[in-house]
Every structure is written in structure tokens, then in C-alpha cells.
Amino acid sequence: MKVQSWQRSVQLVWLCTTVLVLGGLVQTGAVLPALCVAVLLCLGQGFWLALQFRLAAASAARRAAAGDLQPPPPSRAAWWRAWRVEVALWTRSFAWHQPWTSRSRQSLLPGEPGAGNVTSGRAILFVHGYLCSGGFWAPWIHHLRKLNRPYACVNLQPALADIDSYAPQIEAEFRRLHAATGVAPLIVCHSMGGLAVRAWWRQRLQQGARAGRLAVALDIVGLACPHQGTWVAGLGLGRAAAQMREGSAWLAELAAFERGLSGKEKPSWVCLYSDCDNMVYPPRNALLDGGRESLLAGLAHIELAFDPRVVDLVLWLLDESPGSATWGDSTMPAGLDVVLTRPLPL
């Protein structure tokens, strides 16, 4: 079963179960138990996310006690704010955007039916994370359609597979966008999607070397990607979760391969991370050797994918020539780099 179909089934089962249970309790006069069940069903995910944030906060406290203050541990107010925002975003994403965003809206390219006045410039290739689908990017889809900017969302299948197995799916979408626009797309990936992109690039280089092809200049924006693994992956299911654990053999092999790359073989990575990430911690595990990094303080895991500063950065890169992601000496608009590193007001 495809991830989106599975997500729809879960939502429909949850809705039907809720109606039947609450209806039965109300009919028997058990109003108070019905209210308790309703509260539990509505807030259950909030409790689960609260546990995630508690574990992340405990990790930050242990780092601080050991003298690791890069970045400094967030305040309690910052953790509470991040939890509140993440509950809302998680509910919106998994209960509405991912299950019900039409596959037809997950792509907009010149020459396609319904493309309208879409521009012919560089496209964005979106790669989602663990247990997600292309509908995760629904807020981006809405925004890019208003701007008539080309894009496509990969739907990684199956959900719990080996991360290496996603490479052909990314390659197919990459080729489609490259052919439609004439230039390599800007890749935006969230969470596990960053590891899937790294695995794809390794396979592409290996296959290209055998075929005599050269690598292309490539920009990649990684949002909350566990490049160095994450402790919470130990609680996940499937081969993908095992590969995302800190110290996994798979991550070590991938890093060893990348250390041997040079010149055009190395993509330009931008690694955006947060000190309040409830899924990827310690925070610096989201960084990649050789990549440009920027800390967006106070943001939760899903929130990091939709922060306005991230949107500004991606749209700026979209209009630059491939290879501009290492913006330290580039033509980045004045002030945007400062904005990207400015903590959020709490």
C-alpha cells in the first residue's frame, strides 16, 4: 500500500472509531466518559509529542552538563513554544495535508496539463522524510502555485524500506525536472529525505563513473536532516530507522564515500537546523561536513520546513545559478544571512 493510501486509511479508521465510540457512550448516557475519550483522542498526539520534546530537552541538559554549549540549551519557554507549534503542524500535516493532497497538485512543470503560466526557470525537487508523503509539502505547493514556479514532490515508497532503495525514485524525478527546465533542480529535503538525497547522489556518481558521465552542479537545502544520525531513530521501525541511528554502519559508509569526493562531485549543501528539534538531536547531528550551516533557534522539527526565513532562502537560491548554495562569497541579498541566524522572539 502506498504511503498516502495508508495515511488515508488511518484517518478514516480513526474517524469512524471515534464516531462509533462516542456515539455509543452518549446513547448509554455516559456523557462524562464520552468527554474523557474525546479529550484523549484529540490530545493523544500532543502527549506523544510532549514525550519527544522531553527526551530532546533531557539530551540538551546532558550536553550542557558536560560542557557542550554549541548551541546553548533552549529555555523552558522555548521548548513549550516549540511543542505548541508542533502539535498544530503535526495535526495539520498528518490529518489533512499528507492524506488528502492530490497527487496531481504535487507537480507543476512547463508543458504539463494545467501548468498555465508556470515559469520555465529552475524547479524545486522536494524530498520528504520518514513515514511521510509528498503531501507534506502542501504549504509550499500552495505558495509556489501562486508564484507560478515549477516544482515536483517525490513520494518515497515503501515507507520503511532501505534508504538506498529510494535512489531510483529521486533519480526519475530529477531527470524529469532537468528535462522540463533545462537546468538541474534545486533540491529541498526534510529529515530522512536528506539522507535519501545523499544516498541517491552516491548511486548517481557511481553509475555515472561507469557510464563516463560528469556530475552536475547541484544545490541542496537540508532541513532538520539527521546527517550524523539521531538517538530517537532507535525507537523507529524498519531498515530506514536503523540506518538513521547514531553511529550506524550505513552512515559511516556514506560519510566515507563523500570524503573521497572532490570538485564538481560535491553538491553545495545548506544545512538548516534548530536547537528545539524534537526528532534530530543533538542539534549538530543535522550538520554535514563541508556544508553551509545556519541555526534557526526555537523551531520544532516540522516547523523548520515552513519557516518564512527558509522560504526566503529557497526562493533566492531558485533564481541563482546552480552551485550558489555556498553563499558566503556570493550575491546573497543584504541582510538575509543575518535574518537566517537571528533567534526567534519568544
Side-chain angles (χ1 to χ4, degrees):
M1 180 183 293
K2 294 183 178 180
V3 175
Q4 190 176 45
S5 299
W6 170 75
Q7 291 171 333
R8 289 178 178 177
S9 299
V10 169
Q11 290 302 313
L12 291 174
V13 169
W14 180 86
L15 180 61
C16 292
T17 302
T18 300
V19 172
L20 290 173
V21 171
L22 293 181
L25 289 173
V26 170
Q27 283 186 347
T28 59
V31 177
L32 183 58
L35 289 174
C36 293
V37 170
V39 170
L40 182 62
L41 290 172
C42 291
L43 301 182
Q45 184 55 36
F47 291 132
W48 168 239
L49 286 171
L51 175 60
Q52 292 181 12
F53 278 99
R54 182 67 187 89
L55 293 172
S59 173
R62 288 194 299 270
R63 285 193 304 104
D68 181 2
L69 299 177
Q70 297 296 325
S75 65
R76 182 174 298 180
W79 285 116
W80 275 109
R81 178 210 164 274
W83 171 77
R84 293 195 306 269
V85 173
E86 195 74 350
V87 169
L89 291 179
W90 192 99
T91 302
R92 183 183 69 174
S93 181
F94 284 90
W96 182 248
H97 286 162
Q98 293 193 57
W100 307 110
T101 297
S102 169
R103 290 292 297 270
S104 64
R105 290 182 57 83
Q106 295 179 27
S107 175
L108 183 68
L109 295 176
E112 288 189 343
N117 296 321
V118 63
T119 61
S120 58
R122 184 154 65 146
I124 301 178
L125 176 58
F126 291 107
V127 186
H128 62 75
Y130 182 71
L131 291 179
C132 291
S133 64
F136 174 83
W137 303 103
W140 273 99
I141 290 172
H142 178 71
H143 188 55
L144 291 174
R145 281 183 171 267
K146 289 197 301 183
L147 297 176
N148 290 318
R149 304 303 296 260
Y151 68 87
C153 306
V154 175
N155 279 274
L156 303 178
Q157 308 284 346
L160 303 176
D162 188 304
I163 295 176
D164 286 306
S165 69
Y166 298 137
Q169 300 169 47
I170 298 175
E171 175 69 13
E173 286 299 304
F174 181 88
R175 286 174 176 266
R176 188 166 73 95
L177 269 62
H178 199 307
T181 62
V183 63
L186 169 65
I187 299 179
V188 177
C189 45
H190 180 252
S191 195
M192 184 201 74
L195 301 183
V197 168
R198 291 170 64 191
W200 158 73
W201 188 245
R202 174 172 61 176
Q203 288 191 28
R204 193 172 214 270
L205 290 179
Q206 291 170 338
Q207 295 170 2
R210 291 193 293 268
R213 296 197 309 265
L214 293 176
V216 297
L218 191 66
D219 291 325
I220 307 172
V221 179
L223 309 170
C225 301
H227 291 303
Q228 313 301 325
T230 178
W231 177 87
V232 77
L235 304 177
L237 302 174
R239 175 65 177 155
Q243 291 170 318
M244 287 190 286
R245 294 173 185 170
E246 286 184 287
S248 76
W250 184 83
L251 282 173
E253 291 171 1
L254 185 59
F257 173 82
E258 291 169 339
R259 283 194 293 270
L261 301 181
S262 60
K264 209 173 182 180
E265 293 179 330
K266 288 187 175 182
S268 299
W269 273 90
V270 180
C271 299
L272 304 182
Y273 69 111
S274 174
D275 53 355
C276 283
D277 194 324
N278 49 300
M279 296 298 290
V280 179
Y281 53 86
R284 296 190 67 81
N285 279 18
L287 303 183
L288 190 62
D289 288 343
R292 178 70 161 86
E293 65 186 61
S294 192
L295 171 67
L296 300 184
L299 301 186
H301 188 64
I302 293 178
E303 183 184 13
L304 192 56
F306 306 109
D307 185 82
R309 294 165 294 179
V310 174
V311 176
D312 287 344
L313 172 64
V314 169
L315 292 179
W316 173 77
L317 280 173
L318 198 59
D319 292 324
E320 296 295 301
S321 59
S324 300
T326 52
W327 68 73
D329 299 319
S330 70
T331 58
M332 191 175 195
L336 186 53
D337 194 12
V338 175
V339 170
L340 281 170
T341 56
R342 184 181 64 203
L344 285 178
L346 298 177

